[in-house]
């Protein structure tokens, strides 16, 4: 099974709308001559989404939100619905990033609610899972990650499962410069694929794209993506510079 790789940038709380436009126009130039491009996804802050969609038109670069809410409308100050995102031309949404979980109290149940809501519309969810350093040191990586995956997928219909993208992001590797080794990433990602297979069957597991995230960059992306169960990277810090992001894309192209 060959799965099309995805190179995704998660900008977190970085870049204004005009910086977003400039970045995307630059990136379009950088990738213009590349063959066999992987799927490309950029997740800017929500206030830059409309600009990003406009700047990325006809480039093949997909635009995603960093977060969504599970209600469509109502008294939920500060939240953004899937319908609002869809109406802007946004195609993807990150769900359950470890910063959402750790800093904003998002639980597995919240992640599940968000995933079910996204799947009821047209967005492609990128569900993030990963263990903290203490979990890894206590030998609990497998248990934590499998539980996050199972809880996220509760109640997901079989026909929707194919739309899901997963990202394995060990918390100790995010923003720290400490990358999981290709072996470490592949071991956990193989396990994730098997647990999805146990829920939805081998065919869905086989098609599932599982990205690695956590200090991924131009220096290590190719080695990570050479692994059998690593189908791309979700890049934070190294996605903020168009040249470095283009280099990662080149590693996959
Ligand atoms: P990083 O972030 O690449 O800066 O480690 C990755 C992420 O949080 O998605």
């Amino acid at each position: 099974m060959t799965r099309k790789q995805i190179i995704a940038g998660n900008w977190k709380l970085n870049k204004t709308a005009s910086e977003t436009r400039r970045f995307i126009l630059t990136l379009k130039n950088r990738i213009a001559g590349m063959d066999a491009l992987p799927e490309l996804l950029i997740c800017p802050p929500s206030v830059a989404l409309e600009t990003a969609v406009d700047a990325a038109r006809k480039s093949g670069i997909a635009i995603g939100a960093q977060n969504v809410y599970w209600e469509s409308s109502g008294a939920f100050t500060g939240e953004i619905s899937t319908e609002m995102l869809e109406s802007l031309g946004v195609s993807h949404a990150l769900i359950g990033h470890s910063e959402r979980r750790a800093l904003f109290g998002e639980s597995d149940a919240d992640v599940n609610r968000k995933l079910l809501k996204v799947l009821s519309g047209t967005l492609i969810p990128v569900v993030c899972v990963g263990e903290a350093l203490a979990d890894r040191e206590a030998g609990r990586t497998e248990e934590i990650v499998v539980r996050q995956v199972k809880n996220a997928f509760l109640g997901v219909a079989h026909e929707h499962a194919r739309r899901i993208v997963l990202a394995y992001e060990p918390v100790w590797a995010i923003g720290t410069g400490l990358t999981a080794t290709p072996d470490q990433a592949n071991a956990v990602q193989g396990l994730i694929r098997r647990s999805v297979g146990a829920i939805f069957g081998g065919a869905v597991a086989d098609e599932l794209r599982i990205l690695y995230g956590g200090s991924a960059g131009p220096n290590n992306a190719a080695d990570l993506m050479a692994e059998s169960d690593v189908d791309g990277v979700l890049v934070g810090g190294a996605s903020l510079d168009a040249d470095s992001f283009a280099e990662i894309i080149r590693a996959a192209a």
Side-chain angles (χ1 to χ4, degrees):
M1 170 87 217
T2 49
R3 294 177 288 267
K4 186 150 192 201
Q5 291 181 324
I6 303 174
I7 307 293
N10 169 20
W11 285 357
K12 312 188 180 189
L13 185 58
N14 293 290
K15 294 197 194 293
T16 61
S18 58
E19 288 166 343
T20 297
R21 179 179 299 282
R22 209 171 318 130
F23 179 105
I24 291 175
L25 298 180
T26 307
L27 185 65
K28 275 163 115 171
N29 279 329
R30 296 287 184 284
I31 63 176
M34 291 188 203
D35 286 332
L37 278 177
E39 282 184 32
L40 303 178
L41 170 65
I42 291 178
C43 303
S46 56
V47 292
L49 283 169
E50 191 168 14
T51 302
V53 168
D54 183 55
R57 231 172 271 286
K58 299 205 178 97
S59 67
I61 302 168
I63 302 300
Q66 296 175 12
N67 185 26
V68 292
Y69 196 55
W70 59 76
E71 295 286 350
S72 297
S73 63
F76 305 103
T77 301
E79 296 297 331
I80 296 173
S81 71
T82 54
E83 290 85 348
M84 292 169 182
L85 295 169
E86 288 163 1
S87 76
L88 287 184
V90 170
S91 57
H92 291 65
L94 303 184
I95 299 178
H97 188 278
S98 67
E99 285 151 21
R100 299 297 318 167
R101 294 177 189 258
L103 305 175
F104 302 99
E106 232 172 77
S107 65
D108 280 4
D110 295 338
V111 171
N112 177 242
R113 274 192 279 266
K114 290 181 177 192
L115 178 59
L116 293 175
K117 179 61 164 56
V118 163
L119 290 173
S120 74
T122 60
L123 296 175
I124 297 169
V126 181
V127 179
C128 306
V129 298
E131 81 287 1
L133 184 59
D135 301 328
R136 178 162 282 265
E137 286 175 346
R140 297 182 60 211
T141 299
E142 285 77 10
E143 173 198 335
I144 299 283
V145 169
V146 168
R147 189 174 66 213
Q148 287 174 343
V149 171
K150 282 192 180 152
N151 287 343
F153 279 62
L154 281 175
V156 168
H158 191 274
E159 74 263 25
H160 285 156
R162 291 198 137 90
R163 202 178 345 137
I164 301 173
V165 175
L166 280 175
Y168 169 55
E169 299 204 301
V171 178
W172 49 270
I174 295 180
T176 57
L178 284 176
T179 318
T181 64
D183 272 357
Q184 281 174 325
N186 204 48
V188 179
Q189 298 190 198
L191 178 74
I192 291 173
R193 193 177 306 286
R194 288 192 294 281
S195 26
V196 171
I199 309 173
F200 293 109
V204 171
D206 229 29
E207 279 179 26
L208 174 75
R209 268 90 57 87
I210 309 176
L211 315 184
Y212 168 80
S215 298
N219 54 327
N220 56 25
D223 288 343
L224 287 160
M225 289 187 287
E227 295 290 331
S228 56
D229 284 307
V230 180
D231 308 308
V233 283
L234 177 53
V235 185
S239 73
L240 292 172
D241 176 75
D243 289 325
S244 111
F245 196 58
E247 249 185 86
I248 300 169
I249 295 168
R250 194 168 298 115

